[in-house]
Coordinates of all heavy atoms in Angstrom, one line a residue:
A1 N -13.9 0.0 -66.8 CA -14.1 -0.7 -65.6 C -15.2 -0.1 -64.8 O -15.9 -0.8 -64.0 CB -12.8 -0.7 -64.8
M2 N -15.5 1.2 -65.0 CA -16.5 1.9 -64.2 C -17.9 1.9 -64.9 O -18.9 2.4 -64.4 CB -16.1 3.3 -63.9 CG -14.8 3.4 -63.0 SD -15.1 2.8 -61.3 CE -16.3 4.0 -60.8
C3 N -17.9 1.6 -66.2 CA -19.1 1.7 -67.0 C -20.0 0.5 -66.8 O -19.5 -0.6 -66.5 CB -18.8 1.9 -68.4 SG -18.0 3.4 -68.8
P4 N -21.3 0.6 -67.0 CA -22.2 -0.5 -67.0 C -21.8 -1.4 -68.2 O -21.3 -0.9 -69.2 CB -23.6 0.1 -67.2 CG -23.5 1.5 -67.0 CD -22.0 1.9 -67.1
P5 N -22.1 -2.7 -68.1 CA -21.7 -3.6 -69.2 C -22.5 -3.2 -70.5 O -23.6 -2.8 -70.4 CB -22.0 -5.0 -68.7 CG -22.9 -4.8 -67.5 CD -22.7 -3.4 -67.0
G6 N -21.9 -3.4 -71.6 CA -22.5 -3.2 -72.9 C -21.5 -2.8 -74.0 O -20.4 -2.3 -73.7
A7 N -21.8 -3.1 -75.2 CA -20.8 -2.9 -76.3 C -20.8 -1.5 -76.7 O -21.9 -0.9 -77.0 CB -21.1 -3.9 -77.4
G8 N -19.7 -0.9 -76.8 CA -19.6 0.5 -77.4 C -20.1 1.6 -76.6 O -20.4 2.7 -77.1
K9 N -20.3 1.4 -75.3 CA -20.9 2.5 -74.5 C -19.8 3.4 -74.1 O -18.7 3.0 -73.6 CB -21.6 1.9 -73.3 CG -22.9 1.4 -73.5 CD -23.7 1.2 -72.2 CE -25.0 1.8 -72.4 NZ -25.8 1.9 -71.3
N10 N -20.0 4.7 -74.3 CA -19.0 5.7 -73.8 C -19.5 6.5 -72.6 O -18.8 7.4 -72.2 CB -18.8 6.7 -75.0 CG -18.1 6.1 -76.2 OD1 -17.3 5.1 -76.0 ND2 -18.4 6.5 -77.4
D11 N -20.6 6.1 -72.1 CA -21.1 6.8 -70.9 C -20.3 6.4 -69.7 O -19.8 5.3 -69.6 CB -22.6 6.4 -70.6 CG -23.5 6.9 -71.7 OD1 -23.2 7.9 -72.4 OD2 -24.5 6.2 -71.9
I12 N -20.1 7.4 -68.8 CA -19.5 7.0 -67.5 C -20.4 7.2 -66.4 O -21.4 8.0 -66.5 CB -18.2 7.9 -67.3 CG1 -18.6 9.4 -67.2 CG2 -17.1 7.6 -68.3 CD1 -17.4 10.3 -66.8
T13 N -20.2 6.6 -65.3 CA -21.2 6.6 -64.2 C -21.0 7.9 -63.4 O -19.9 8.5 -63.5 CB -21.0 5.4 -63.3 OG1 -19.7 5.5 -62.7 CG2 -21.2 4.1 -64.0
D14 N -22.0 8.2 -62.6 CA -21.9 9.4 -61.7 C -20.8 9.2 -60.7 O -20.1 10.1 -60.2 CB -23.2 9.6 -61.0 CG -24.3 10.1 -61.9 OD1 -23.9 10.7 -62.9 OD2 -25.5 9.9 -61.6
R15 N -20.5 7.9 -60.3 CA -19.5 7.6 -59.4 C -18.1 8.0 -59.9 O -17.3 8.5 -59.1 CB -19.5 6.1 -59.1 CG -18.5 5.6 -58.1 CD -18.7 4.2 -57.8 NE -17.6 3.7 -57.0 CZ -17.3 2.4 -56.8 NH1 -18.0 1.5 -57.5 NH2 -16.3 2.1 -56.0
L16 N -17.9 7.9 -61.2 CA -16.6 8.3 -61.8 C -16.6 9.8 -62.1 O -15.6 10.5 -61.8 CB -16.3 7.5 -63.0 CG -15.0 7.9 -63.8 CD1 -13.8 7.7 -62.9 CD2 -14.9 7.1 -65.1
S17 N -17.7 10.3 -62.6 CA -17.7 11.7 -63.1 C -17.7 12.7 -61.9 O -17.3 13.8 -62.1 CB -18.9 12.0 -63.9 OG -20.1 11.8 -63.2
R18 N -17.9 12.3 -60.7 CA -17.9 13.2 -59.6 C -16.5 13.6 -59.3 O -16.3 14.6 -58.5 CB -18.5 12.5 -58.3 CG -17.7 11.4 -57.7 CD -18.5 10.8 -56.6 NE -17.9 9.5 -56.2 CZ -17.1 9.3 -55.1 NH1 -17.0 10.4 -54.3 NH2 -16.6 8.2 -54.9
H19 N -15.5 12.9 -59.8 CA -14.1 13.3 -59.6 C -13.6 14.4 -60.5 O -12.4 14.8 -60.4 CB -13.2 12.1 -59.7 CG -13.5 11.0 -58.6 ND1 -13.2 11.2 -57.3 CD2 -14.2 9.8 -58.7 CE1 -13.6 10.1 -56.6 NE2 -14.2 9.3 -57.5
F20 N -14.4 14.8 -61.5 CA -13.9 15.7 -62.5 C -14.8 17.0 -62.5 O -15.9 17.0 -62.2 CB -14.1 15.0 -63.9 CG -13.2 13.8 -64.1 CD1 -13.8 12.6 -63.8 CD2 -11.9 13.9 -64.4 CE1 -13.0 11.4 -64.0 CE2 -11.1 12.8 -64.5 CZ -11.7 11.5 -64.3
N21 N -14.1 18.1 -62.9 CA -14.8 19.4 -63.0 C -14.5 19.9 -64.4 O -13.4 19.7 -64.9 CB -14.3 20.3 -61.9 CG -14.7 19.9 -60.5 OD1 -15.9 19.6 -60.3 ND2 -13.8 19.9 -59.6
L22 N -15.4 20.7 -64.9 CA -15.2 21.4 -66.2 C -15.2 22.9 -65.9 O -16.1 23.4 -65.3 CB -16.4 21.1 -67.1 CG -16.3 21.8 -68.5 CD1 -15.1 21.3 -69.2 CD2 -17.6 21.5 -69.2
L23 N -14.1 23.5 -66.3 CA -13.9 24.9 -66.1 C -13.6 25.6 -67.4 O -12.7 25.1 -68.2 CB -12.7 25.2 -65.1 CG -12.4 26.6 -64.8 CD1 -13.5 27.3 -64.1 CD2 -11.1 26.7 -64.1
F24 N -14.4 26.6 -67.8 CA -14.2 27.3 -69.0 C -13.9 28.8 -68.7 O -14.7 29.4 -68.0 CB -15.4 27.1 -69.9 CG -15.2 27.8 -71.2 CD1 -14.4 27.3 -72.2 CD2 -15.9 29.1 -71.5 CE1 -14.3 28.0 -73.4 CE2 -15.7 29.7 -72.7 CZ -14.9 29.2 -73.6
V25 N -12.9 29.3 -69.3 CA -12.6 30.8 -69.2 C -12.5 31.3 -70.6 O -11.8 30.8 -71.4 CB -11.3 31.0 -68.4 CG1 -10.9 32.4 -68.3 CG2 -11.4 30.4 -67.0
T26 N -13.2 32.4 -70.9 CA -13.0 33.0 -72.2 C -11.6 33.6 -72.4 O -11.0 34.0 -71.4 CB -14.1 34.1 -72.4 OG1 -13.9 35.1 -71.3 CG2 -15.5 33.6 -72.3
P27 N -11.1 33.5 -73.6 CA -9.7 34.0 -73.8 C -9.6 35.5 -73.5 O -10.6 36.3 -73.7 CB -9.5 33.8 -75.3 CG -10.5 32.8 -75.7 CD -11.7 32.9 -74.8
F28 N -8.5 35.9 -72.9 CA -8.3 37.4 -72.6 C -8.0 38.1 -73.9 O -7.3 37.6 -74.8 CB -7.2 37.5 -71.6 CG -7.5 36.9 -70.2 CD1 -6.9 35.8 -69.8 CD2 -8.3 37.6 -69.4 CE1 -7.2 35.2 -68.6 CE2 -8.6 37.1 -68.1 CZ -8.0 35.9 -67.7
D29 N -8.3 39.4 -73.9 CA -7.9 40.3 -75.0 C -6.4 40.7 -74.7 O -5.9 40.5 -73.6 CB -8.8 41.5 -75.2 CG -8.9 42.4 -74.0 OD1 -8.3 42.0 -72.9 OD2 -9.6 43.4 -74.0
D30 N -5.8 41.3 -75.7 CA -4.4 41.7 -75.6 C -4.1 42.7 -74.5 O -3.1 42.6 -73.8 CB -3.9 42.3 -77.0 CG -3.9 41.3 -78.1 OD1 -3.8 40.1 -77.7 OD2 -3.9 41.7 -79.2
E31 N -5.1 43.6 -74.3 CA -4.9 44.6 -73.2 C -4.9 44.0 -71.8 O -4.0 44.3 -71.0 CB -6.0 45.7 -73.3 CG -5.9 46.8 -72.3 CD -7.0 47.8 -72.4 OE1 -7.6 47.9 -73.5 OE2 -7.3 48.5 -71.4
S32 N -5.8 43.0 -71.6 CA -5.8 42.3 -70.3 C -4.5 41.5 -70.1 O -4.0 41.5 -69.0 CB -7.0 41.4 -70.3 OG -8.2 42.2 -70.3
L33 N -4.1 40.8 -71.1 CA -2.9 40.0 -71.0 C -1.7 40.9 -70.7 O -0.9 40.5 -69.8 CB -2.6 39.2 -72.3 CG -3.5 37.9 -72.5 CD1 -3.2 37.3 -73.9 CD2 -3.2 36.9 -71.4
N34 N -1.6 42.0 -71.4 CA -0.5 42.9 -71.2 C -0.5 43.4 -69.7 O 0.5 43.5 -69.1 CB -0.6 44.1 -72.2 CG 0.7 44.9 -72.2 OD1 1.7 44.5 -71.6 ND2 0.6 46.0 -72.8
R35 N -1.7 43.8 -69.2 CA -1.8 44.3 -67.9 C -1.5 43.3 -66.8 O -0.7 43.5 -65.9 CB -3.2 44.9 -67.6 CG -3.3 45.4 -66.2 CD -4.7 46.1 -66.0 NE -4.8 46.5 -64.7 CZ -5.5 47.5 -64.3 NH1 -6.3 48.1 -65.1 NH2 -5.6 47.9 -63.0
I36 N -2.0 42.0 -67.0 CA -1.7 41.0 -66.1 C -0.2 40.7 -66.0 O 0.4 40.7 -64.9 CB -2.5 39.7 -66.4 CG1 -4.0 39.9 -66.2 CG2 -2.0 38.5 -65.6 CD1 -4.9 38.9 -66.8
F37 N 0.4 40.5 -67.2 CA 1.8 40.1 -67.2 C 2.7 41.2 -66.8 O 3.8 41.0 -66.3 CB 2.2 39.4 -68.5 CG 1.6 38.0 -68.6 CD1 0.5 37.7 -69.3 CD2 2.1 36.9 -67.8 CE1 -0.1 36.5 -69.4 CE2 1.6 35.7 -67.9 CZ 0.5 35.5 -68.6
S38 N 2.4 42.4 -67.2 CA 3.2 43.6 -66.8 C 3.2 43.7 -65.3 O 4.3 44.0 -64.7 CB 2.6 44.9 -67.4 OG 2.7 44.8 -68.8
T39 N 2.1 43.5 -64.6 CA 2.1 43.5 -63.2 C 2.9 42.5 -62.5 O 3.7 42.7 -61.6 CB 0.6 43.4 -62.7 OG1 -0.2 44.4 -63.3 CG2 0.5 43.6 -61.2
V40 N 2.8 41.2 -63.0 CA 3.5 40.1 -62.4 C 5.0 40.3 -62.7 O 5.8 40.1 -61.8 CB 3.0 38.8 -63.0 CG1 3.9 37.6 -62.6 CG2 1.6 38.5 -62.6
V41 N 5.4 40.5 -63.9 CA 6.8 40.7 -64.2 C 7.4 41.9 -63.6 O 8.5 41.9 -63.0 CB 7.0 40.7 -65.8 CG1 8.5 41.0 -66.1 CG2 6.7 39.3 -66.3
G42 N 6.7 43.0 -63.5 CA 7.1 44.2 -62.9 C 7.4 44.0 -61.4 O 8.4 44.5 -60.8
K43 N 6.5 43.3 -60.7 CA 6.7 43.0 -59.3 C 7.9 42.1 -59.1 O 8.7 42.3 -58.2 CB 5.4 42.3 -58.7 CG 5.5 42.0 -57.3 CD 5.7 43.2 -56.4 CE 5.6 42.8 -55.0 NZ 6.0 43.9 -54.1
F44 N 8.1 41.1 -60.0 CA 9.2 40.1 -59.8 C 10.5 40.9 -60.1 O 11.5 40.6 -59.3 CB 9.0 39.0 -60.8 CG 10.1 38.0 -60.8 CD1 10.3 37.1 -59.8 CD2 11.1 38.0 -61.8 CE1 11.3 36.2 -59.8 CE2 12.1 37.1 -61.8 CZ 12.2 36.2 -60.8
L45 N 10.6 41.7 -61.1 CA 11.8 42.4 -61.4 C 12.1 43.6 -60.5 O 13.2 44.2 -60.6 CB 11.8 42.8 -62.9 CG 11.8 41.6 -63.9 CD1 11.8 42.2 -65.3 CD2 13.0 40.7 -63.7
S46 N 11.2 44.0 -59.7 CA 11.3 45.2 -58.9 C 12.4 45.0 -57.8 O 13.0 46.0 -57.3 CB 10.0 45.6 -58.2 OG 9.6 44.6 -57.2
I47 N 12.7 43.8 -57.4 CA 13.7 43.5 -56.4 C 15.1 43.5 -57.0 O 16.1 43.5 -56.3 CB 13.5 42.2 -55.7 CG1 13.5 41.0 -56.6 CG2 12.2 42.3 -54.9 CD1 13.4 39.7 -55.9
M48 N 15.2 43.6 -58.4 CA 16.5 43.6 -59.0 C 17.0 45.0 -59.3 O 16.3 46.0 -58.9 CB 16.4 42.8 -60.3 CG 16.0 41.3 -60.0 SD 16.0 40.4 -61.5 CE 15.4 38.8 -60.9
S49 N 18.1 45.2 -60.0 CA 18.6 46.5 -60.3 C 17.7 47.3 -61.2 O 16.8 46.7 -61.9 CB 20.0 46.4 -60.9 OG 19.9 45.9 -62.3
K50 N 17.8 48.6 -61.2 CA 16.9 49.4 -61.9 C 17.0 49.2 -63.4 O 16.0 49.3 -64.2 CB 17.1 50.9 -61.6 CG 16.9 51.2 -60.2 CD 16.4 52.6 -60.0 CE 16.2 53.0 -58.6 NZ 14.9 52.5 -58.0
D51 N 18.2 48.8 -63.9 CA 18.3 48.5 -65.4 C 17.5 47.3 -65.8 O 16.9 47.3 -66.8 CB 19.8 48.3 -65.7 CG 20.6 49.6 -65.5 OD1 20.0 50.7 -65.6 OD2 21.8 49.4 -65.3
V52 N 17.5 46.3 -64.9 CA 16.8 45.0 -65.2 C 15.3 45.3 -65.0 O 14.5 44.9 -65.9 CB 17.3 43.9 -64.2 CG1 16.4 42.7 -64.4 CG2 18.7 43.6 -64.5
A53 N 14.9 46.0 -64.0 CA 13.5 46.3 -63.8 C 12.9 47.2 -64.9 O 11.7 47.0 -65.2 CB 13.3 47.0 -62.4
A54 N 13.7 48.0 -65.5 CA 13.2 48.9 -66.6 C 12.9 48.1 -67.8 O 12.2 48.5 -68.7 CB 14.2 50.0 -66.9
S55 N 13.4 46.9 -67.9 CA 13.2 46.0 -69.1 C 11.9 45.2 -69.1 O 11.6 44.5 -70.0 CB 14.4 45.1 -69.4 OG 14.4 44.2 -68.4
S56 N 11.1 45.4 -68.0 CA 9.9 44.5 -67.8 C 8.9 44.7 -68.9 O 8.3 43.7 -69.4 CB 9.3 44.8 -66.5 OG 8.8 46.1 -66.4
L57 N 8.7 46.0 -69.4 CA 7.7 46.2 -70.5 C 8.1 45.5 -71.8 O 7.3 45.0 -72.5 CB 7.5 47.7 -70.6 CG 6.8 48.4 -69.5 CD1 6.7 49.9 -69.8 CD2 5.5 47.8 -69.2
S58 N 9.4 45.6 -72.1 CA 9.9 44.9 -73.3 C 9.8 43.4 -73.3 O 9.6 42.7 -74.2 CB 11.3 45.4 -73.7 OG 12.2 45.1 -72.7
V59 N 10.1 42.9 -72.1 CA 10.0 41.4 -71.9 C 8.6 41.0 -72.1 O 8.3 40.0 -72.7 CB 10.6 41.0 -70.5 CG1 10.2 39.6 -70.1 CG2 12.0 41.3 -70.4
V60 N 7.6 41.7 -71.5 CA 6.2 41.3 -71.6 C 5.8 41.5 -73.1 O 5.1 40.6 -73.6 CB 5.4 42.2 -70.7 CG1 3.9 42.0 -71.0 CG2 5.7 41.8 -69.2
A61 N 6.2 42.5 -73.7 CA 5.8 42.7 -75.1 C 6.3 41.6 -76.0 O 5.6 41.1 -76.9 CB 6.3 44.1 -75.6
G62 N 7.6 41.2 -75.8 CA 8.2 40.2 -76.6 C 7.5 38.8 -76.3 O 7.3 38.0 -77.3
T63 N 7.2 38.6 -75.1 CA 6.5 37.3 -74.7 C 5.1 37.2 -75.4 O 4.8 36.2 -75.9 CB 6.4 37.2 -73.2 OG1 7.7 37.2 -72.6 CG2 5.8 35.9 -72.8
L64 N 4.4 38.3 -75.3 CA 3.1 38.3 -75.9 C 3.1 38.2 -77.4 O 2.2 37.6 -78.1 CB 2.3 39.5 -75.4 CG 1.9 39.5 -73.9 CD1 1.2 40.8 -73.6 CD2 1.1 38.3 -73.6
D65 N 4.1 38.8 -78.0 CA 4.3 38.7 -79.5 C 4.6 37.2 -79.9 O 4.0 36.7 -80.8 CB 5.5 39.5 -80.0 CG 5.1 41.0 -80.0 OD1 3.9 41.4 -79.9 OD2 6.1 41.8 -80.0
I66 N 5.4 36.5 -79.2 CA 5.7 35.1 -79.4 C 4.4 34.3 -79.2 O 4.1 33.4 -80.0 CB 6.8 34.6 -78.5 CG1 8.1 35.3 -79.0 CG2 7.0 33.1 -78.6 CD1 9.3 35.0 -78.1
Y67 N 3.7 34.6 -78.1 CA 2.4 33.9 -77.9 C 1.4 34.1 -79.0 O 0.8 33.1 -79.4 CB 1.9 34.4 -76.5 CG 0.5 33.8 -76.2 CD1 0.4 32.4 -75.8 CD2 -0.6 34.6 -76.1 CE1 -0.8 31.9 -75.5 CE2 -1.8 34.0 -75.7 CZ -1.9 32.7 -75.4 OH -3.1 32.1 -75.1
A68 N 1.3 35.3 -79.5 CA 0.4 35.5 -80.6 C 0.8 34.8 -81.9 O 0.0 34.2 -82.6 CB 0.3 37.0 -80.9
L69 N 2.1 34.7 -82.2 CA 2.6 33.9 -83.3 C 2.3 32.4 -83.2 O 1.9 31.7 -84.1 CB 4.1 34.1 -83.5 CG 4.5 35.5 -84.1 CD1 6.0 35.6 -84.0 CD2 4.0 35.6 -85.5
V70 N 2.5 31.9 -82.0 CA 2.3 30.5 -81.7 C 0.8 30.2 -81.9 O 0.4 29.2 -82.5 CB 2.8 30.1 -80.3 CG1 2.3 28.7 -79.9 CG2 4.3 30.1 -80.3
L71 N -0.1 31.1 -81.4 CA -1.5 30.8 -81.6 C -1.9 30.9 -83.0 O -2.8 30.1 -83.4 CB -2.3 31.9 -80.8 CG -2.4 31.7 -79.3 CD1 -3.2 32.9 -78.7 CD2 -3.0 30.4 -78.9
K72 N -1.3 31.7 -83.8 CA -1.6 31.9 -85.2 C -1.1 30.7 -86.1 O -1.8 30.2 -86.9 CB -1.1 33.2 -85.8 CG -1.5 33.5 -87.2 CD -1.0 34.8 -87.6 CE 0.4 34.5 -88.1 NZ 1.1 35.5 -88.8
D73 N 0.2 30.3 -85.8 CA 0.8 29.4 -86.7 C 0.7 27.9 -86.3 O 0.7 27.0 -87.1 CB 2.3 29.7 -86.8 CG 2.6 31.0 -87.5 OD1 1.7 31.5 -88.2 OD2 3.7 31.5 -87.3
M74 N 0.4 27.6 -85.0 CA 0.4 26.2 -84.6 C -1.0 25.9 -84.1 O -1.2 25.6 -82.9 CB 1.4 26.0 -83.5 CG 2.8 26.3 -83.9 SD 4.0 26.0 -82.6 CE 4.3 24.3 -82.9
L75 N -2.0 25.9 -85.0 CA -3.4 25.6 -84.7 C -3.5 24.2 -84.4 O -2.9 23.3 -85.0 CB -4.3 26.0 -85.8 CG -4.3 27.5 -86.1 CD1 -5.1 27.8 -87.4 CD2 -4.8 28.3 -85.0
P76 N -4.4 23.8 -83.4 CA -4.7 22.4 -83.2 C -5.4 21.8 -84.4 O -6.2 22.4 -85.1 CB -5.6 22.4 -81.9 CG -6.1 23.8 -81.8 CD -5.2 24.7 -82.6
T77 N -5.0 20.5 -84.6 CA -5.7 19.7 -85.7 C -6.3 18.5 -85.0 O -5.9 18.1 -83.9 CB -4.7 19.3 -86.8 OG1 -3.7 18.5 -86.1 CG2 -4.0 20.5 -87.4
P78 N -7.2 17.8 -85.7 CA -7.8 16.6 -85.1 C -6.7 15.6 -84.8 O -6.8 14.9 -83.8 CB -8.7 16.1 -86.2 CG -9.1 17.3 -87.0 CD -7.9 18.2 -86.9
A79 N -5.6 15.5 -85.6 CA -4.6 14.6 -85.4 C -3.7 15.0 -84.2 O -3.1 14.2 -83.6 CB -3.7 14.4 -86.6
K80 N -3.6 16.3 -84.0 CA -2.7 16.8 -82.9 C -3.5 17.8 -82.1 O -3.2 19.0 -81.9 CB -1.5 17.5 -83.6 CG -0.7 16.6 -84.4 CD 0.5 17.3 -85.0 CE 1.3 16.3 -85.8 NZ 2.2 16.8 -86.7
C81 N -4.6 17.3 -81.5 CA -5.4 18.2 -80.7 C -4.8 18.6 -79.4 O -5.2 19.5 -78.7 CB -6.8 17.5 -80.4 SG -6.6 16.0 -79.5
H82 N -3.6 18.0 -79.0 CA -2.9 18.4 -77.8 C -2.2 19.7 -78.0 O -1.6 20.2 -77.1 CB -2.0 17.3 -77.3 CG -1.0 16.9 -78.4 ND1 -1.3 16.1 -79.4 CD2 0.3 17.2 -78.5 CE1 -0.2 15.9 -80.1 NE2 0.8 16.6 -79.6
Y83 N -2.2 20.2 -79.2 CA -1.5 21.5 -79.4 C -2.4 22.7 -79.0 O -2.8 23.5 -79.8 CB -1.2 21.7 -80.9 CG 0.0 20.9 -81.4 CD1 0.3 20.8 -82.7 CD2 0.8 20.2 -80.5 CE1 1.3 20.1 -83.2 CE2 1.9 19.5 -81.0 CZ 2.2 19.4 -82.3 OH 3.2 18.7 -82.8
T84 N -2.8 22.7 -77.8 CA -3.5 23.9 -77.3 C -2.6 24.6 -76.3 O -2.0 23.9 -75.4 CB -4.8 23.5 -76.5 OG1 -4.5 22.5 -75.6 CG2 -5.8 22.9 -77.5
F85 N -2.3 25.8 -76.5 CA -1.3 26.6 -75.7 C -2.0 27.5 -74.7 O -3.0 28.1 -75.0 CB -0.4 27.4 -76.7 CG 0.4 26.5 -77.6 CD1 -0.1 26.2 -78.8 CD2 1.6 26.0 -77.1 CE1 0.7 25.4 -79.7 CE2 2.3 25.2 -78.0 CZ 1.9 24.9 -79.2
N86 N -1.3 27.7 -73.6 CA -1.7 28.7 -72.6 C -0.5 29.4 -72.1 O 0.6 29.0 -72.4 CB -2.6 28.0 -71.5 CG -1.8 26.9 -70.8 OD1 -0.7 27.0 -70.6 ND2 -2.6 26.0 -70.3
M87 N -0.7 30.3 -71.3 CA 0.4 31.2 -70.8 C 1.0 30.6 -69.5 O 1.8 31.3 -68.8 CB 0.0 32.6 -70.6 CG -0.3 33.3 -71.9 SD 1.1 33.4 -72.9 CE 2.0 34.7 -72.1
R88 N 0.6 29.4 -69.0 CA 1.2 28.9 -67.8 C 2.6 28.5 -67.9 O 3.1 28.0 -68.8 CB 0.4 27.7 -67.3 CG -0.9 28.2 -66.7 CD -1.6 27.1 -66.0 NE -2.5 26.6 -67.0 CZ -3.0 25.4 -67.0 NH1 -2.8 24.6 -66.0 NH2 -3.8 24.9 -67.9

């Protein structure tokens, strides 16, 4: 509806493209992911009992292990390109 008339055109107008942004972030290494999530989970668990708060490092390690397995085993394919995983 927003494109100029023509058969098979995939171009979009500036009027439509102004609503979109492209953001690219390079993947984090394991040390950075560990530090980020250790800080977040440690802060979240700090208000709980000391036994629960002490488990923050093992929770982060387990989560990052599962994340690494998912990245390795569930690669995106052209048929299933929506299989891109992130930590959100």
Side-chain angles (χ1 to χ4, degrees):
M2 297 292 296
C3 292
K9 280 196 134 188
N10 293 329
D11 297 332
I12 61 172
T13 63
D14 291 334
R15 182 178 174 194
L16 177 62
S17 65
R18 70 186 168 105
H19 297 287
F20 299 96
N21 293 311
L22 179 63
L23 177 68
F24 180 76
V25 178
T26 56
F28 293 106
D29 60 355
D30 292 338
E31 182 181 336
S32 296
L33 283 175
N34 193 11
R35 182 176 177 154
I36 291 167
F37 287 103
S38 294
T39 303
V40 171
V41 171
K43 180 65 176 167
F44 178 75
L45 294 179
S46 68
I47 61 172
M48 299 181 184
S49 70
K50 295 211 184 279
D51 294 335
V52 174
S55 67
S56 67
L57 293 178
S58 59
V59 168
V60 170
T63 302
L64 291 177
D65 288 343
I66 292 171
Y67 177 66
L69 286 173
V70 168
L71 283 179
K72 185 181 84 170
D73 293 339
M74 301 182 86
L75 297 173
T77 63
K80 298 179 180 166
C81 59
H82 59 280
Y83 285 170
T84 55
F85 295 94
N86 60 32
M87 292 296 285
R88 285 188 266 158

